[in-house]
Amino acid sequence: MDTDDAAWLSPGDAAEIRSSLTAQFAEEFGHGPAGVWFAPGRANLNGEHVDFHGGRCLPMALAHGTYVAAAPRTDGMLYMRTLEPSLDAGVQQVCISEVTSGPDADVHTITDEQPCGWTKYVGGTLWALRALGEEIDELAVDESFGADLLITSTLPVGGGLSSSAALECSAMLAFVAMATPLGRANPGAALDAALTDELRARLAAACMRAEVEMVGAGTGGLDQTVSLRGRAGHLLSLDCRDFTVERLPATGLLADHRFVAVDTGQAHWLGDGQFDDRRADSEAAMRLLGVERLRNLLPERPGTSDVAAVLSRFDERAGDGETLPSPVDGAPARDRAACRRRLRHALTEMVRSEELHGFLSDEELDAESTAMLVGNLMTAGHASMRDEAEVSFPAANTIVETAVEKGSPGARLIGGGFGGSALLLCRADDVATITGAVASACEEAGHQTPRFLEITPSDPARAV
Ligand code: ADP
Ligand code: MG
């Protein structure tokens, strides 16, 4: 694969990034960092818009991610700077005692030019760790703890590959390492081993809280879970009812095939309400059907006939009205047909996840058949994102159609939608042809120039 081409985003070399970030940190803050921590982004093979409904997701951690160099302070202040060119406005400061819950809480001093104010993700992460430390002694945060932080990322920001979770999870590890009894007892890389899967699950939930309660994004925990609990060479099969994970080897699938992510260059902002709008539609359907989460409407091993049965129950209950009551008391009613489409997306996406879990666990299936079966479900997932969830957009559709036309076994939009990235499965020998055709098709259609990332299932957040 020709990763020298400017169109390819490289994950970089961790040791090199560590040393240049350390040098820049010393220049910025006048002293060295206590360490550098990394957390990966993620690509999701299937399971979009279903984590918060208890569905199964099949994500993998990437080699691309976010690096945080940090040193502790004793004045309860966070001084932080991001080197991400589109967001860098010099050092920003946050007084951690002023961080309170709620999307409107003023936890950042950055001007409102940037959607969401990125410092909320970091301030929110420390706030959530403090709350967790009240329950788990070894994660108790020192009262006066603060930190200097310098941040850089090899992910596209707002590109649907979860730069937000990578930011939260890398900052989380830095905070745990510097501020808690567990971190002090396990310096450097020892912390990676000390963080059991159970503790990582608790930290992932805290990072999710930061994003939901501080930023106001309706994320369901998928991104944070894979960033903290992924495994090299594996896909996670994440049951979002209880966040239990199984790790399924990707060796067969990736024997002759490769995953490529295509960043459309069209940033999406989960904070701006469209994602929440789709979620509200599906929650209105959920209310109508009288369940606490949509996954409860399907049996353990669901199939398409189970989806049809739920949809006819929906039709019966919805009657002839054009709207359904909002899931939020007092908010405007939701369009009935739209709610039904969101419901159908969620249910079929859940069925696809269960089928994929089956294919990837089936040791009898040969590599070629696995790739074909997985690919078909990816493309079906895209159609559902486009027609039922209605979160796709022209560039993503061009990319998926072109890839499939050029012989990709399957391709789809991943992430929340309204911008972001597509994931392609390609025979290793076809990668250059397919990505070349995708780039040309985007140019012809007048879309932004896409950037490509080779997706290698990688290890989770760690000290560098
Ligand atoms: P995604 O997670 O798919 O990349 P989101 O909209 O969820 O997209 O998150 C993007 C937001 O996360 C950015 O607007 C910014 O606030 C924050 N963010 C992500 N990466 C960085 C970074 N390297 N530096 C500063 N902020 C970041
Ligand atoms: Mg995100």
Side-chain angles (χ1 to χ4, degrees):
M1 194 175 293
D2 182 10
T3 41
D4 292 336
D5 192 318
W8 285 86
L9 284 181
S10 156
D13 177 78
E16 273 171 30
I17 294 172
R18 181 199 154 91
S19 75
S20 86
L21 194 61
T22 300
Q24 277 172 284
F25 185 98
E27 210 168 287
E28 184 70 59
F29 294 107
H31 55 86
V36 176
W37 291 268
F38 169 81
R42 63 103 188 89
N44 193 20
L45 184 56
N46 196 80
E48 298 299 1
H49 291 245
V50 300
D51 53 348
F52 46 81
H53 285 309
R56 186 179 292 282
C57 303
L58 288 156
M60 57 204 130
L62 308 186
H64 302 71
T66 298
Y67 294 79
V68 174
R73 304 177 61 93
T74 52
D75 58 1
M77 294 295 293
L78 293 175
Y79 285 82
M80 56 183 128
R81 178 172 181 190
T82 177
L83 297 175
E84 165 59 32
S86 62
L87 297 169
D88 182 14
V91 174
Q92 304 296 311
Q93 70 183 68
V94 167
C95 175
I96 194 64
S97 64
E98 287 167 16
V99 175
T100 49
S101 179
D104 300 325
D106 181 23
V107 304
H108 57 103
T109 52
I110 197 166
T111 58
D112 281 339
E113 276 161 37
Q114 306 306 336
C116 304
W118 68 271
T119 58
K120 282 189 182 186
Y121 292 86
V122 181
T125 296
L126 181 54
W127 166 83
L129 175 61
R130 276 178 178 277
L132 185 62
E134 283 166 22
E135 286 171 41
I136 303 177
D137 290 343
E138 56 187 343
L139 293 178
V141 176
D142 304 338
E143 196 56 43
S144 60
F145 175 77
D148 294 329
L149 306 116
L150 189 66
I151 297 152
T152 191
S153 187
T154 56
L155 288 164
V157 168
L161 299 173
S162 216
S163 69
S164 58
L167 176 59
E168 292 144 21
C169 297
S170 53
M172 179 60 96
L173 280 202
F175 294 145
V176 169
M178 297 189 299
T180 70
L182 184 77
R184 278 191 296 274
N186 297 280
L191 183 62
D192 297 342
L195 284 174
T196 58
D197 195 49
E198 199 186 327
L199 282 175
R200 284 170 180 265
R202 299 295 297 272
L203 293 176
C207 289
M208 174 180 107
R209 264 196 93 185
E211 189 156 341
V212 171
E213 294 181 40
M214 286 296 156
V215 182
T219 168
L222 156 68
D223 305 347
Q224 295 80 3
T225 299
V226 63
S227 188
L228 281 160
R229 300 170 72 194
R231 183 182 293 171
H234 290 74
L235 286 145
L236 285 194
S237 181
L238 168 64
D239 185 334
C240 292
R241 287 176 294 191
D242 55 6
F243 286 91
T244 50
V245 299
E246 275 178 66
R247 295 173 174 92
L248 309 176
T251 0
L253 178 62
L254 297 181
D256 302 321
H257 289 79
R258 299 289 174 268
F259 281 126
V260 174
V262 189
D263 169 27
T264 60
Q266 199 166 314
H268 73 118
W269 307 112
L270 295 187
D272 82 352
Q274 280 179 298
F275 181 90
D276 295 336
D277 185 72
R278 297 301 187 272
R279 181 170 173 165
D281 285 341
S282 62
E283 285 175 351
M286 186 177 86
R287 280 260 190 117
L288 179 78
L289 291 162
V291 283
E292 279 184 17
R293 54 188 174 203
L294 293 179
R295 181 64 183 83
N296 296 0
L297 292 163
L298 296 172
E300 216 40 42
R301 298 252 161 276
T304 39
S305 60
D306 299 306
V307 173
V310 176
L311 289 172
S312 45
R313 208 173 342 144
F314 175 94
D315 293 338
E316 265 166 43
R317 294 209 182 179
D320 297 332
E322 292 204 344
T323 59
L324 294 186
S326 163
V328 181
D329 292 333
R334 322 268 337 159
D335 180 72
R336 185 188 65 136
C339 293
R340 190 181 193 277
R341 289 195 295 277
R342 309 310 172 234
L343 172 66
R344 186 156 190 278
H345 167 76
L347 297 174
T348 59
E349 188 83 347
M350 288 176 195
V351 171
R352 280 187 290 277
S353 277
E354 297 301 332
E355 288 178 347
L356 282 164
H357 179 101
F359 298 151
L360 292 167
S361 327
D362 186 345
E363 287 168 13
E364 315 268 279
L365 266 184
D366 62 84
E368 186 65 20
S369 314
T370 308
M372 291 309 123
L373 290 165
V374 167
N376 284 340
L377 288 179
M378 287 173 73
T379 309
H382 181 75
S384 181
M385 291 282 270
R386 186 189 58 210
D387 304 334
E388 312 280 355
E390 292 179 285
V391 298
S392 193
F393 53 101
N397 296 335
T398 301
I399 290 165
V400 168
E401 283 156 25
T402 307
V404 171
E405 216 176 272
K406 294 289 169 189
S408 161
R412 68 171 296 166
L413 172 63
I414 56 171
F418 311 107
S421 296
L423 182 68
L424 320 179
L425 184 64
C426 304
R427 207 165 276 106
D429 295 340
D430 293 345
V431 168
T433 320
I434 292 174
T435 54
V438 163
S440 309
C442 286
E443 193 180 346
E444 262 166 50
H447 302 313
Q448 272 178 277
T449 309
R451 293 184 300 174
F452 302 99
L453 297 83
E454 182 176 1
I455 299 303
T456 325
S458 298
D459 273 328
R462 57 193 174 268
V464 183

